[in-house]
Amino acid sequence: MKKILLITWGMGYIWSHAVVAFEQAGYRTVIVDNLYNSDLSTYEWIGNILWYKPDFHELDLRNKNELEEIFKKYDFDWVLHFAGLKAPFESQEKPVLYFQNNISGSLNLFELMNTYDVKNIVFSSSASTYSTVNVPPITEKCNQVPETPYATSKFVWEKILEDLSKFSGFRSINLRYFNPVWCHPSGHIWEYLDDIPNNLFPYIFQVLSGRLPSLKVFGSDYDTLDGTGVRDYIDVVDLVDAHVLAYKKLSGITGNFWFNDSFNVWTGKGTSVLQAIDVVETVVWKKVEYSMMDRRPGDIPVSYCNTNKIQIELGWKSLTSLEQSIQNSWKFYNKQ
Ligand code: NAD
Ligand code: UDP
């Protein structure tokens, strides 16, 4: 019989890709999401890619009774769980909302996992839990000092999972990532945008498709090769593959052993904003209009990580080139 995975908040950007990856790897997924930052078109596209639709339940994780009905209905083996609200800047304006949504919804989930003896979980943490004074490349041993309510919610969660592992026998893996971009190679699923994007690549593609006039490059005086900010951009399909390997790692643990560990999921390679523009222009053969602006408040100059641990212990490596990822994204934009 197929293993059944509960994918919380699975209609979102990353988790819709995870649903596809797990289904294609032979697992059965059940999605729950309140559609706060997604819509049902993603469900249609998941169906188009797979040729069938996994079960979906529209519910809010903060509603424990409804969530319990899901636990009664399915015999879950495993949970993939992803914080719902994810905008660091917004979290500074609405900290209570972030704690309420991200932490209290999760506590309901953990309680039910405990009650129904479903103790394997992969959690999407974030590189934003690392202190911004760490010098890249970031390793898993670098200091964690969250600086926004969003990052705090992730950090607290990691700690809760560590304790649930030690004291309640959970097996948990935290995957820390930062700049996932792009979309599925089918060109069908992509980050849901109902507003002007904050992130670099969605913004560039809006400019290329004529929806926004030009890109503002935030900061040209950083101590980097060309003065612009450097990030480690990871293809979303590679990213979700790390979750499949994390799942396999946890599944391989036999007996009554608890487990808790954290892994960085990045490529290990930094790309500056101007380099990113250059690669996009080469791949899509179009000019990206941009102008140089002051630094964006809160931005760090450089962030990329060391990927040795995940390569050695989970056998994961980022495989998709930046060029290929851009090609995939462009396919999506051409369909709009
Ligand atoms: P997303 O906003 O696209 O997806 C999250 C989903 O959660 C949405 O579909 C939303 O409707 C749903 N949701 C929110 N609150 C809910 C609740 N209370 N009950 C049920 N559903 C709820 O986000 P994403 O980009 O797919 O990110 C997924 C995870 O990855 C998040 O934990 C995020 O913090 C983490 N992450 C994302 C990035 C990034 O740049 N995208 C970077 C690092 C970490
Ligand atoms: N960036 C930019 N213009 C934009 C959006 C982002 O110049 O419209 C820069 C930003 O200053 C940073 C890099 O692109 O150096 C990545 O920004 P993004 O918001 O995508 O990721 P984050 O800063 O959260 O890592």
Short mmCIF file of all heavy atoms in Angstrom, two decimals, residues 253-281:
data_model
loop_
_atom_site.label_atom_id
_atom_site.label_comp_id
_atom_site.label_asym_id
_atom_site.label_seq_id
_atom_site.Cartn_x
_atom_site.Cartn_y
_atom_site.Cartn_z
N ILE A 253 15.02 5.07 9.41
CA ILE A 253 15.34 4.87 10.83
C ILE A 253 14.38 3.82 11.39
O ILE A 253 13.17 4.01 11.37
CB ILE A 253 15.21 6.19 11.61
CG1 ILE A 253 16.15 7.24 11.02
CG2 ILE A 253 15.49 5.97 13.10
CD1 ILE A 253 15.92 8.63 11.57
N THR A 254 14.94 2.73 11.85
CA THR A 254 14.06 1.68 12.37
C THR A 254 14.13 1.68 13.90
O THR A 254 15.01 2.28 14.49
CB THR A 254 14.47 0.29 11.84
OG1 THR A 254 15.86 0.15 12.08
CG2 THR A 254 14.17 0.16 10.36
N GLY A 255 13.21 0.98 14.51
CA GLY A 255 13.19 0.92 15.98
C GLY A 255 12.61 2.20 16.55
O GLY A 255 12.07 3.04 15.83
N ASN A 256 12.76 2.35 17.85
CA ASN A 256 12.13 3.48 18.53
C ASN A 256 13.06 4.67 18.70
O ASN A 256 13.07 5.30 19.74
CB ASN A 256 11.64 3.05 19.92
CG ASN A 256 10.34 2.31 19.80
OD1 ASN A 256 9.57 2.57 18.87
ND2 ASN A 256 10.11 1.37 20.69
N PHE A 257 13.86 4.95 17.69
CA PHE A 257 14.82 6.04 17.85
C PHE A 257 14.22 7.37 17.45
O PHE A 257 13.54 7.47 16.44
CB PHE A 257 16.06 5.78 17.00
CG PHE A 257 16.83 4.58 17.46
CD1 PHE A 257 16.82 3.42 16.70
CD2 PHE A 257 17.52 4.60 18.66
CE1 PHE A 257 17.49 2.30 17.13
CE2 PHE A 257 18.21 3.47 19.09
CZ PHE A 257 18.19 2.32 18.32
N TRP A 258 14.49 8.39 18.24
CA TRP A 258 14.07 9.73 17.85
C TRP A 258 15.18 10.34 16.99
O TRP A 258 16.32 9.87 17.01
CB TRP A 258 13.76 10.61 19.07
CG TRP A 258 14.92 10.90 19.98
CD1 TRP A 258 15.30 10.14 21.06
CD2 TRP A 258 15.85 11.99 19.90
NE1 TRP A 258 16.40 10.70 21.66
CE2 TRP A 258 16.76 11.84 20.97
CE3 TRP A 258 16.00 13.08 19.04
CZ2 TRP A 258 17.80 12.73 21.21
CZ3 TRP A 258 17.05 13.97 19.27
CH2 TRP A 258 17.92 13.78 20.34
N PHE A 259 14.83 11.38 16.25
CA PHE A 259 15.83 12.00 15.38
C PHE A 259 15.45 13.46 15.17
O PHE A 259 14.28 13.80 15.02
CB PHE A 259 15.82 11.28 14.01
CG PHE A 259 16.90 11.76 13.07
CD1 PHE A 259 18.16 11.19 13.09
CD2 PHE A 259 16.64 12.80 12.17
CE1 PHE A 259 19.15 11.64 12.22
CE2 PHE A 259 17.63 13.24 11.30
CZ PHE A 259 18.88 12.66 11.32
N ASN A 260 16.44 14.31 15.21
CA ASN A 260 16.21 15.73 14.88
C ASN A 260 17.49 16.30 14.32
O ASN A 260 18.54 16.20 14.95
CB ASN A 260 15.78 16.52 16.13
CG ASN A 260 15.70 18.01 15.85
OD1 ASN A 260 16.58 18.79 16.16
ND2 ASN A 260 14.61 18.42 15.21
N ASP A 261 17.40 16.88 13.12
CA ASP A 261 18.61 17.49 12.55
C ASP A 261 18.19 18.59 11.56
O ASP A 261 17.03 18.65 11.15
CB ASP A 261 19.46 16.44 11.85
CG ASP A 261 20.94 16.82 11.86
OD1 ASP A 261 21.27 17.96 12.24
OD2 ASP A 261 21.77 15.96 11.46
N SER A 262 19.15 19.44 11.22
CA SER A 262 18.87 20.56 10.31
C SER A 262 19.87 20.56 9.16
O SER A 262 21.05 20.24 9.35
CB SER A 262 19.01 21.88 11.06
OG SER A 262 18.12 21.90 12.14
N PHE A 263 19.38 20.93 8.00
CA PHE A 263 20.24 20.97 6.80
C PHE A 263 19.98 22.25 6.01
O PHE A 263 18.82 22.65 5.83
CB PHE A 263 19.93 19.78 5.88
CG PHE A 263 20.21 18.44 6.50
CD1 PHE A 263 19.23 17.79 7.24
CD2 PHE A 263 21.45 17.83 6.36
CE1 PHE A 263 19.48 16.56 7.82
CE2 PHE A 263 21.71 16.60 6.94
CZ PHE A 263 20.72 15.96 7.67
N ASN A 264 21.05 22.83 5.51
CA ASN A 264 20.91 23.93 4.56
C ASN A 264 20.56 23.37 3.20
O ASN A 264 21.15 22.38 2.76
CB ASN A 264 22.25 24.67 4.39
CG ASN A 264 22.61 25.50 5.60
OD1 ASN A 264 21.75 25.90 6.36
ND2 ASN A 264 23.90 25.75 5.77
N VAL A 265 19.61 24.02 2.51
CA VAL A 265 19.31 23.58 1.13
C VAL A 265 19.52 24.76 0.20
O VAL A 265 18.60 25.53 -0.07
CB VAL A 265 17.87 23.06 0.98
CG1 VAL A 265 17.74 22.25 -0.31
CG2 VAL A 265 17.45 22.22 2.15
N TRP A 266 20.72 24.90 -0.24
CA TRP A 266 21.10 25.95 -1.18
C TRP A 266 22.03 25.35 -2.22
O TRP A 266 22.42 24.19 -2.11
CB TRP A 266 21.85 27.07 -0.44
CG TRP A 266 21.01 28.09 0.24
CD1 TRP A 266 19.70 28.37 0.00
CD2 TRP A 266 21.44 28.98 1.27
NE1 TRP A 266 19.30 29.39 0.84
CE2 TRP A 266 20.34 29.78 1.62
CE3 TRP A 266 22.66 29.18 1.92
CZ2 TRP A 266 20.43 30.77 2.59
CZ3 TRP A 266 22.74 30.16 2.89
CH2 TRP A 266 21.64 30.95 3.22
N THR A 267 22.42 26.18 -3.17
CA THR A 267 23.33 25.64 -4.19
C THR A 267 24.79 25.77 -3.76
O THR A 267 25.66 25.10 -4.28
CB THR A 267 23.18 26.39 -5.52
OG1 THR A 267 23.66 27.72 -5.34
CG2 THR A 267 21.75 26.43 -6.00
N GLY A 268 25.06 26.71 -2.86
CA GLY A 268 26.44 26.97 -2.47
C GLY A 268 27.10 28.02 -3.35
O GLY A 268 28.27 28.33 -3.20
N LYS A 269 26.30 28.59 -4.28
CA LYS A 269 26.89 29.55 -5.23
C LYS A 269 26.14 30.88 -5.16
O LYS A 269 24.90 30.90 -5.24
CB LYS A 269 26.76 28.96 -6.63
CG LYS A 269 27.41 29.76 -7.71
CD LYS A 269 27.40 28.97 -9.02
CE LYS A 269 27.83 29.83 -10.19
NZ LYS A 269 26.79 30.69 -10.72
N GLY A 270 26.87 31.97 -5.03
CA GLY A 270 26.23 33.28 -4.97
C GLY A 270 26.13 33.93 -6.35
O GLY A 270 27.01 33.77 -7.18
N THR A 271 25.03 34.66 -6.56
CA THR A 271 24.84 35.40 -7.82
C THR A 271 24.42 36.82 -7.47
O THR A 271 23.51 37.02 -6.67
CB THR A 271 23.70 34.73 -8.66
OG1 THR A 271 24.05 33.37 -8.90
CG2 THR A 271 23.49 35.44 -9.98
N SER A 272 25.07 37.81 -8.07
CA SER A 272 24.70 39.20 -7.77
C SER A 272 23.48 39.59 -8.61
O SER A 272 23.12 38.90 -9.57
CB SER A 272 25.87 40.14 -8.10
OG SER A 272 25.97 40.30 -9.49
N VAL A 273 22.87 40.73 -8.25
CA VAL A 273 21.69 41.17 -8.99
C VAL A 273 22.05 41.44 -10.46
O VAL A 273 21.35 41.01 -11.38
CB VAL A 273 21.08 42.45 -8.35
CG1 VAL A 273 19.89 42.94 -9.16
CG2 VAL A 273 20.65 42.18 -6.90
N LEU A 274 23.20 42.10 -10.69
CA LEU A 274 23.57 42.38 -12.08
C LEU A 274 23.91 41.11 -12.85
O LEU A 274 23.59 40.98 -14.04
CB LEU A 274 24.73 43.38 -12.13
CG LEU A 274 24.39 44.80 -11.68
CD1 LEU A 274 25.59 45.73 -11.84
CD2 LEU A 274 23.19 45.38 -12.45
N GLN A 275 24.53 40.15 -12.15
CA GLN A 275 24.79 38.86 -12.83
C GLN A 275 23.48 38.18 -13.19
O GLN A 275 23.34 37.60 -14.27
CB GLN A 275 25.60 37.93 -11.91
CG GLN A 275 27.06 38.30 -11.80
CD GLN A 275 27.80 37.41 -10.81
OE1 GLN A 275 27.25 37.05 -9.77
NE2 GLN A 275 29.04 37.07 -11.13
N ALA A 276 22.52 38.27 -12.27
CA ALA A 276 21.21 37.64 -12.53
C ALA A 276 20.56 38.26 -13.76
O ALA A 276 20.05 37.55 -14.64
CB ALA A 276 20.31 37.79 -11.30
N ILE A 277 20.62 39.58 -13.84
CA ILE A 277 20.02 40.27 -15.00
C ILE A 277 20.71 39.81 -16.29
O ILE A 277 20.07 39.53 -17.30
CB ILE A 277 20.16 41.81 -14.84
CG1 ILE A 277 19.30 42.28 -13.67
CG2 ILE A 277 19.79 42.54 -16.13
CD1 ILE A 277 19.50 43.74 -13.30
N ASP A 278 22.03 39.71 -16.21
CA ASP A 278 22.81 39.30 -17.37
C ASP A 278 22.40 37.90 -17.86
O ASP A 278 22.20 37.67 -19.05
CB ASP A 278 24.28 39.30 -16.92
CG ASP A 278 25.19 39.41 -18.09
OD1 ASP A 278 24.87 40.19 -19.00
OD2 ASP A 278 26.21 38.68 -18.11
N VAL A 279 22.25 36.97 -16.91
CA VAL A 279 21.87 35.61 -17.30
C VAL A 279 20.47 35.60 -17.91
O VAL A 279 20.23 34.97 -18.94
CB VAL A 279 21.94 34.63 -16.10
CG1 VAL A 279 21.58 33.22 -16.54
CG2 VAL A 279 23.32 34.63 -15.46
N VAL A 280 19.55 36.34 -17.30
CA VAL A 280 18.18 36.39 -17.84
C VAL A 280 18.21 36.93 -19.27
O VAL A 280 17.61 36.34 -20.18
CB VAL A 280 17.27 37.28 -16.95
CG1 VAL A 280 15.93 37.50 -17.64
CG2 VAL A 280 17.04 36.66 -15.58
N GLU A 281 18.95 38.01 -19.49
CA GLU A 281 18.97 38.61 -20.84
C GLU A 281 19.53 37.64 -21.86
O GLU A 281 19.05 37.54 -22.99
CB GLU A 281 19.80 39.90 -20.82
CG GLU A 281 19.08 41.04 -20.08
CD GLU A 281 19.89 42.34 -20.06
OE1 GLU A 281 21.12 42.29 -20.23
OE2 GLU A 281 19.27 43.40 -19.85
#
